[in-house]
Amino acid sequence: MSLSARAFASHLATALAPLAAGLAGFQAWPGERAHAALVGLGAGLLAAALVVALALRQAGRLAQRLETQAGQAQASAGTLTRLAKQVNVSAGEISRSMEELSRGAGAQRQLIEQTSALLGEMARSIERASRSAEDAARSSAEASAVAQSGGQLAGQAVEKMRGVFQQVERYAQRVFEFGERSKEIGNIVRVITEVAQQTHLLAINATIEAVRAGEAGRGFAVVAEEIRHLAENTSRSSERIARLVEEVVAGSQEAVQAAQASTQQLSEGREELASILDALKAIVTSVTAGSDRVQIINRLAREQIAGAAETVRAFDNIAQVAQKNSSSTVGALQAAEAQSNTLLEMTQQTALLGQMAASLQAEAARYRRAEIQDGNAERR
Amino acid sequence: METPSAAEPGRSVIFRLGWERYGLPLAAVLEVLDSPAGALRPLPGAPDWVAGVLSHQGHVRAVVRTAALVAGEDRWSQAATGQIILAELGGERLGLLVDQVEGVEVIRTAGPAREDGRRHAWHHGVLVILLDLGELARAIDTRARSGGQKL
């Protein structure tokens, strides 16, 4: 269809000429009306041929413009195709990057989940440690209370021991005083014994003198004999008392020695109790310090638990963000793929458009060449 | 002073030498004295049976160890303490050192003399050896002569 407008009009006139002749042949057709109609038709066709010729002329200019525009469109289509290809390449790269990003986001999410799980485990461990620390604090507090109670009891025991010690000392002092009094009694008894012995001796001598006096001393001899008997009884009683006093003195000495030994032992016991008291005080101090330390550990563990919980929450948030990022990456990947597909389709359509523009340009060019040839032929 | 016979029971001064009790006729006894430590002074060069001398009422009296005379020297190691019976033997006044004078008793039941010539009596369930003053004086004389000394 590489026909110029003018040639087309000429051909159209040539084709229409027989038709006009035919129509003129039909002048025999009955009726003016038909004749007029046919004449009108021929005129119309001529007018149409003229209009078509004019249109073809305009079409020639249009074709020229079309050729130009088709060339431009073809160039644009090429540029577009190139750009689309570039975009497609970039979209592919983006897609690959997005895939890598998605994979990275997945790995990151897994790592975050693992880290979160580890942190959770660590938090549970810290919680267990905290519970152990609480138990230890409780035990430590109980031990401290027990040690303090023991210290108080030991102090009371020491006070009681002091009381017993003083009582034993008083008892020993009284026994000692009793022993001294017994010695005094012994001295008195010794004097009585000596007096009795002297009396006995005097009675013997009185008896001797009475016997020597004969009848005159008979009564006196009886009295002297009675005195001697009394002196003997006194002497025997004094001896018994002296023995008893010796036993009492010996007993009191033993009692004093036993009391002194008890006092010594009590003194040692008091020193030991004082040592025990000091040891208990040291234990109380140590246990209290330990309890304080355990409480500090407990508080630190609680703070660690709180920190770990916050860390877990932060990691959960990070995981959620990573999840969203992953989802967004997947969405972006899908969008990039869709965009890539669209670009591909657009590239194809652009290529098709380029082909169509090329065909149109070729047709317009042929049309232009035919028109130029027709013009040259007419001018010749 | 008349010296009563040892064979006749009568008043006797009962004294103790160790575990043995002796009876000395009261007629020979002048006085009984205490002999506290220091009162009896030893006599240098005197035989063992002489305990020492005693100053009594302005007189110096010799004191003999009665145990050495009546019981043998080796049997008693009589101490210089005890009591002294001031007696008169053979016209001499001397002191008889005894452990303890227990009293003046009337010995009513004297038994027969033993082989050594001494008589014994049971008094209140206790055996009492009744000393013969003549025998005692002879013993002192014999020892004084054999020792070359005279009291």
Side-chain angles (χ1 to χ4, degrees):
Chain A
M1 295 299 289
S2 60
L3 203 64
S4 68
R6 193 181 296 258
F8 181 71
S10 178
H11 289 311
L12 188 61
T14 304
L16 286 173
L19 184 58
L23 286 172
F26 280 102
Q27 285 176 355
W29 289 4
E32 290 283 334
R33 203 175 155 187
H35 182 258
L38 286 171
V39 171
L41 181 61
L45 285 169
L46 281 174
L50 283 173
V51 170
V52 168
L54 286 171
L56 286 172
R57 187 175 181 82
Q58 287 176 355
R61 286 195 295 273
L62 184 62
Q64 189 177 0
R65 282 199 301 273
L66 269 175
E67 187 183 358
T68 305
Q69 287 179 356
Q72 290 174 353
Q74 192 177 9
S76 298
T79 305
L80 262 176
T81 303
R82 197 169 58 251
L83 286 172
K85 283 180 180 173
Q86 289 177 356
V87 167
N88 197 15
V89 169
S90 299
E93 290 177 355
I94 288 170
S95 179
R96 281 191 296 279
S97 298
M98 292 299 282
E99 280 178 1
E100 289 178 0
L101 193 62
S102 178
R103 280 196 297 275
Q108 183 188 17
R109 187 165 53 81
Q110 286 179 352
L111 285 173
I112 287 170
E113 284 176 354
Q114 289 175 359
T115 308
S116 180
L118 286 172
L119 275 170
E121 184 63 31
M122 189 175 77
R124 284 191 289 278
S125 297
I126 292 171
E127 195 172 352
R128 286 196 291 272
S130 173
R131 279 200 294 274
S132 298
E134 283 179 356
D135 292 342
R138 231 175 354 258
S139 300
S140 185
E142 288 173 359
S144 178
V146 168
Q148 283 181 349
S149 174
Q152 290 174 354
L153 288 174
Q156 292 172 1
V158 166
E159 289 302 318
K160 287 181 180 176
M161 285 290 288
R162 282 178 184 154
V164 171
F165 182 74
Q166 290 171 352
Q167 282 183 353
V168 169
E169 279 185 335
R170 284 197 294 270
Y171 166 74
Q173 183 63 29
R174 286 184 181 177
V175 170
F176 180 75
E177 291 172 359
F178 178 71
E180 292 299 312
R181 295 287 177 85
S182 298
K183 284 180 181 175
E184 291 178 9
I185 292 171
N187 292 332
I188 293 168
V189 169
R190 197 171 298 114
V191 171
I192 292 170
T193 303
E194 288 174 1
V195 169
Q197 287 174 350
Q198 291 293 329
T199 305
H200 182 253
L201 192 62
L202 285 172
I204 289 171
N205 287 324
T207 303
I208 293 167
E209 290 296 330
V211 170
R212 283 180 172 281
E215 287 298 323
R218 190 175 295 275
F220 183 71
V222 172
V223 173
E225 191 67 13
E226 288 300 321
I227 291 171
R228 188 180 65 84
H229 282 305
L230 285 174
E232 281 182 354
N233 288 337
T234 303
S235 183
R236 280 195 291 271
S237 296
S238 296
E239 285 177 1
R240 288 184 60 191
I241 291 171
R243 282 197 298 272
L244 288 173
V245 166
E246 284 177 0
E247 291 175 1
V248 167
V249 168
S252 66
Q253 283 178 347
E254 289 180 0
V256 167
Q257 288 175 355
Q260 286 175 346
S262 299
T263 304
Q264 180 68 24
Q265 287 179 351
L266 280 172
S267 180
E268 292 173 358
R270 188 167 62 175
E271 291 175 359
E272 289 173 357
L273 265 178
S275 300
I276 291 169
L277 199 61
D278 291 342
L280 276 171
K281 283 180 183 174
I283 289 170
V284 168
T285 305
S286 177
V287 166
T288 304
S291 178
D292 292 344
R293 291 196 190 96
V294 168
Q295 283 178 358
I296 290 169
I297 292 168
N298 193 15
R299 196 181 69 239
L300 290 173
R302 285 179 178 281
E303 289 175 2
Q304 281 184 347
I305 286 171
E310 287 183 3
T311 310
V312 167
R313 278 197 295 278
F315 267 89
D316 283 344
N317 291 334
I318 291 169
Q320 288 175 2
V321 170
Q323 178 71 32
K324 284 180 184 175
N325 282 343
S326 181
S327 301
S328 300
T329 307
V330 170
L333 185 62
Q334 290 171 353
E337 284 178 353
Q339 186 185 9
S340 182
N341 291 332
T342 304
L343 279 171
L344 190 62
E345 192 178 351
M346 194 172 75
T347 304
Q348 290 170 354
Q349 293 297 325
T350 305
L352 193 60
L353 185 63
Q355 288 173 2
M356 287 174 65
S359 300
L360 185 60
Q361 191 180 18
E363 287 299 323
R366 273 200 305 274
Y367 181 77
R368 284 268 299 160
R369 278 193 304 271
E371 195 177 30
I372 290 167
Q373 286 172 2
D374 288 344
N376 292 333
E378 283 179 3
R379 278 192 297 271
R380 278 192 302 261
Chain B
M1 194 171 86
E2 185 182 357
T3 302
S5 171
E8 295 177 358
R11 288 181 181 273
S12 297
V13 175
I14 308 299
F15 63 89
R16 188 165 57 76
L17 285 172
W19 296 106
E20 291 180 344
R21 282 182 172 75
Y22 293 85
L24 187 66
L26 181 62
V29 176
L30 300 174
E31 191 178 357
V32 178
L33 306 172
D34 255 342
S35 174
L40 187 62
R41 297 182 184 281
L43 197 61
D48 292 339
W49 55 275
V50 177
V53 294
L54 177 73
S55 175
H56 177 63
Q57 294 179 349
H59 299 280
V60 176
R61 307 290 183 193
V63 179
V64 298
R65 296 182 191 275
T66 313
L69 296 175
V70 302
E73 291 179 3
D74 298 333
R75 191 169 173 184
W76 307 106
S77 57
Q78 193 178 10
T81 57
Q83 290 178 328
I84 296 168
I85 300 173
L86 195 60
E88 189 171 348
L89 294 175
E92 294 286 342
R93 289 190 174 185
L94 77 162
L96 299 171
L97 183 62
V98 301
D99 287 344
Q100 187 178 12
V101 176
E102 292 186 335
V104 178
E105 300 291 343
V106 176
I107 306 299
R108 296 185 184 279
T109 54
R114 297 195 306 183
E115 291 179 355
D116 56 2
R118 292 177 181 174
R119 299 175 68 90
H120 297 76
W122 287 95
H123 181 70
H124 299 309
V126 177
L127 183 66
V128 179
I129 301 168
L130 300 175
L131 292 177
D132 186 355
L133 292 175
E135 177 198 349
L136 198 58
R138 284 193 296 275
I140 290 171
D141 285 340
T142 306
R143 288 181 180 273
R145 285 193 198 94
S146 62
Q149 294 177 355
K150 185 175 179 175
L151 291 176

